[in-house]
Amino acid sequence: MDDEPERLDALTRQAGRWLALSAAPAERHTTAVVAGPYDRVAWRDVYARSAALRELSAQLLTRHAHAPDLLADVFLCAYQAAPRLRERAVMAPSHLVHHQVVTALTQSPDFAALHRETAGDAYAAAMAVLAQASALRGLLERSREVRERTGRADRARQEAEAAATAVGEALRQAAEEADGQGDVPASAAAAVRRAVEAARDAEESARREDGAAARAIAAAVPGIRSAARNAASAAAEAVRQEAALMRAWGVDPGETERMPFEERARLAERLRSGRLARWAELIGRFRRMAAGERARKVENATGELVGVTLGDDLSRVIPSELAVLGVPELRAVFAARYAAGELMLYDSRGEQGTGKGAVIACVDTSHSMYAEGPGGVTREAWSKACALALLDQARHAGRDFVGILFSASDKLQVFRFPGGRPAPVTDVLDFAETFLGGGTDFQRPLGTAAKILEEEFDSASRARGDIVLITDDACEVSENWTRLWNEIKRRLDFRLFGIAIATPGTATASGSVLESLCDNLRTVDDLTDVHTTADLFRVI
């Protein structure tokens, strides 16, 4: 009986289910995030340019064979404007843990804050991946048993697909041996039945392994969610801190987006580890204060109102005088009083109009500037923060800015920032981080500042520059130097503002060198307060 031939159509019906599986096996994805060509290129590009990402991938590969796929998913979640996850059913079993990790990540409370900073920014998204490195290592280590279980399910599924393919091959062989009436030799028919039985057993085994993997993942979900929340929180904080650091130092977002990856990474590291990194918040507050004062500033205002005077300045005419213009019969009287300079005007004092020439900050970097004040803020940090705010002030007005760092007479360094060109952030950092040390001398830095203003006047006919001297010390100047200083100051019509940081009372007392040199002098004792010089930003 066993040697009797069988009908080919009957064998085909028995093998039908396995033929369908072998003809079109279900697609199994190894990435949880749906990504288009552009997104994949962005990931490959950032991975190729980031040594830190490649190092992290190599570390994870020692314990997790699919680490690069997980890193790609985490990156794409942060990078894409609207990340979309695949259905679990289309994922390769070996990558179901990834799917759960990414799902938990996107559902964590801190993901929205993280995503605001990273969407569309490949560098920020890569940084988010690196910030989660520790959490990802721990998560993968704790989910080793789950990954082993899903790995077995993946292998069982591959074996089931191979068994289905074997059914198709056995049936093809049987079809080749069938006669004209569709009868298949018994041996070929037996081979088809064995292939079908093997495929049935493989499918059952794959189903059992899939179930076991699903239960293992379900048991691991609470731990995965907790780890994902911690990872998202760490990444959001890291990205937020770097963005705040960039803003504090005045780095425009557009400027960083145009930077090559490694250059931006080096800049971020320099900002985090530089001499003034711990004072980024102070620098940011200074710059925000200055921006607020600029918004309040009224051009050509002359300061504090102290009464009423007579004159012909129409910008200061009191309202009752302007009301006269509403009476046609009195307009001629108004015109006559205007011609005679007898209109009633608001009288003021104190502040003068803003300057037009360069803004020059002469910053003392003698040893005593290391001293700390309230809140642990150093005199250097306060003075550099003020100088950087003055740089912003100059750029806002289209004026040149010059930073002069000085200490003893033989120690001086000049940093120029022309008003017509962007200020490279690396040059700004060089200015902010340079510290000369030594004693204190006023003559050379002030003389250098005056010479710069003279060169500007000779080349561009711009006068009325502003010099701001920031120091914590007092020193003598010679009579001859003072005479030359006063002559050039009258000729160029510049102003000298003095800021004395935590100096003894004698340094700013009446008749002192600082008091005699400066048009406007103030003392700063509380180094945590950025508003002590607020009025400076209304007149410079």
Side-chain angles (χ1 to χ4, degrees), residues 310 317-325 334 337 342-345:
L310 299 179
V317 174
I318 67 174
S320 60
E321 287 278 34
L322 293 175
V324 170
L325 293 174
F334 182 92
R337 293 178 61 193
E342 295 178 351
L343 293 174
M344 287 190 292
L345 313 175

Side-chain angles (χ1 to χ4, degrees), residues 205-249:
S205 176
R207 191 177 295 111
R208 287 195 303 271
E209 292 293 347
D210 283 345
R215 290 190 294 274
I217 291 175
V221 163
I224 291 175
R225 286 178 179 166
S226 176
R229 283 196 298 270
N230 293 337
S233 177
E237 181 62 21
V239 172
R240 187 164 47 242
Q241 285 182 0
E242 180 163 312
L245 198 59
M246 293 286 185
R247 287 192 294 268
W249 281 95

Side-chain angles (χ1 to χ4, degrees), residues 9-160:
D9 53 354
L11 291 173
T12 301
R13 285 193 296 274
Q14 295 177 35
R17 181 169 182 271
W18 316 111
L19 290 176
L21 289 176
S22 64
E27 185 177 9
R28 300 291 177 171
H29 293 277
T30 57
T31 54
V33 182
V34 178
Y38 179 81
D39 295 328
R40 288 192 290 270
V41 167
W43 165 244
R44 288 196 296 268
D45 184 53
V46 78
Y47 185 83
R49 290 187 291 156
S50 173
L53 275 179
R54 295 194 301 274
E55 181 180 350
L56 174 60
S57 179
Q59 291 173 356
L60 296 180
L61 270 172
T62 61
R63 293 182 175 274
H64 182 26
H66 307 299
D69 295 328
L70 176 60
L71 296 184
D73 276 335
V74 175
F75 170 84
L76 291 170
C77 276
Y79 178 71
Q80 289 182 340
R84 183 165 59 92
L85 304 189
R86 303 184 194 279
E87 295 294 330
R88 284 175 51 88
V90 301
M91 292 293 297
S94 58
H95 288 66
L96 285 173
V97 172
H98 295 188
H99 190 281
Q100 189 59 54
V101 169
V102 175
T103 300
L105 178 63
T106 55
Q107 293 175 352
S108 63
D110 289 299
F111 180 75
L114 170 66
H115 195 246
R116 281 194 296 271
E117 299 286 354
T118 60
D121 187 336
Y123 171 85
M127 182 186 171
V129 175
L130 295 171
Q132 297 175 76
S134 179
L136 291 175
R137 287 191 193 95
L139 191 151
L140 291 175
E141 188 62 30
R142 289 191 297 274
S143 64
R144 180 183 296 180
E145 182 178 345
V146 179
R147 289 185 287 111
E148 289 176 354
R149 177 62 68 179
T150 56
R152 286 200 292 270
D154 201 24
R155 290 189 294 274
R157 179 57 55 192
Q158 292 171 6
E159 290 170 0

Side-chain angles (χ1 to χ4, degrees), residues 438-459:
T440 305
D441 172 75
F442 289 165
Q443 292 187 181
R444 189 177 177 201
L446 291 178
T448 300
K451 184 177 180 181
I452 290 171
L453 292 177
E454 185 175 36
E455 292 171 351
E456 182 183 38
F457 180 77
D458 291 342
S459 63

